[in-house]
Amino acid sequence: MEKLKKLISTYENYPKTGVNFKDVLEIVHYPKIFKELILKMSSSELIKNAEALISIDARGFVFGSAIALQTSKPMIVARKPGKLPGEIIKKKYNLEYGENVLTIQKNSIKKFNSFAIIDDLIATGGTAECVSKILDDNNKIVTGLLVVVELQELGGSLRFNYPMESILKYWFSKKNIYMIPIEPAVKPTIRKKENSKRSLGREFIIKLNWVI
């Protein structure tokens, strides 16, 4: 996995001035590294504890579909507006550089109770939080969020009340990438809120074990 960090490219001032965009797509140019990554992500307890996966538009589809194939788990997609037919659940969210909307087909989540959210990267966490709110509003359980890259200085993981795991952590100020082994997540416990929606009642902290 040491070669993985070299495949994360940075594009300055994209998609807007002042934003440094982290691109993970070069990973799929190297099948052996990609396979090793998918095997590692598939071994997460967050995935094992979920009945289904939800992958976020669009780079989340790359990793989510591979994990779904490896683990034989159903995969649902969270897409941008106008991309999904049928009855749609939608919610607005804020990005680091604007506002957007995510949509999920209502029928796609009906027969599953628990979901792991998958994306390529977490920055401020607005996208993943949007998906988790849609699930929470529909009385579903989020077993956790699994990403390849975490921009840790932006504190996105602090806004979740469920576990989050990342393979690489990036610190802007130090300009270093940290490799974090995925630690086992405790199987989620369900507690009922006053409004009877189901959620996770625990905090999750990943310890930094080594720096490359």
Side-chain angles (χ1 to χ4, degrees), residues 114-162:
S114 58
F115 298 83
I117 303 171
I118 298 173
D119 207 355
D120 64 325
L121 179 146
I122 176 175
T124 59
T127 312
E129 185 182 47
C130 177
V131 174
S132 64
K133 283 182 177 179
I134 291 176
L135 293 173
D136 194 55
D137 288 346
N138 287 271
N139 297 313
K140 304 299 182 181
I141 303 161
V142 178
T143 63
L145 168 66
L146 183 59
V147 299
V148 180
V149 173
E150 178 186 359
L151 305 184
Q152 196 170 38
E153 224 169 69
L154 296 179
S157 63
L158 300 178
R159 66 198 298 168
F160 307 135
N161 67 338
Y162 49 78

Side-chain angles (χ1 to χ4, degrees), residues 61-161:
F61 299 163
V62 175
F63 303 97
S65 57
I67 293 170
L69 182 63
Q70 174 65 30
T71 60
S72 297
K73 297 271 187 180
M75 190 186 85
I76 314 302
V77 296
R79 298 216 63 184
K80 293 167 186 172
K83 302 294 184 181
L84 294 173
E87 189 175 0
I88 298 299
I89 310 165
K90 63 181 180 179
K91 188 172 284 290
K92 290 183 180 180
Y93 67 100
N94 293 319
L95 291 163
E96 307 85 76
Y97 43 82
E99 187 178 81
N100 212 333
V101 175
L102 279 179
T103 65
I104 295 174
Q105 288 174 309
K106 190 169 185 179
N107 283 337
S108 69
I109 62 173
K110 273 187 177 179
K111 59 184 178 181
F112 307 111
N113 291 316
S114 58
F115 298 83
I117 303 171
I118 298 173
D119 207 355
D120 64 325
L121 179 146
I122 176 175
T124 59
T127 312
E129 185 182 47
C130 177
V131 174
S132 64
K133 283 182 177 179
I134 291 176
L135 293 173
D136 194 55
D137 288 346
N138 287 271
N139 297 313
K140 304 299 182 181
I141 303 161
V142 178
T143 63
L145 168 66
L146 183 59
V147 299
V148 180
V149 173
E150 178 186 359
L151 305 184
Q152 196 170 38
E153 224 169 69
L154 296 179
S157 63
L158 300 178
R159 66 198 298 168
F160 307 135
N161 67 338

Side-chain angles (χ1 to χ4, degrees), residues 10 17 20-21 28 35 38 40 54 58 65 68 73 77 104 117 134 138 146-147 159 181-182 191:
T10 302
T17 301
N20 291 333
F21 185 85
V28 299
K35 181 178 181 179
I38 294 304
K40 190 173 184 67
I54 288 194
S65 57
K73 297 271 187 180
V77 296
I104 295 174
I117 303 171
I134 291 176
N138 287 271
L146 183 59
V147 299
R159 66 198 298 168
I182 290 183
R191 61 178 175 82

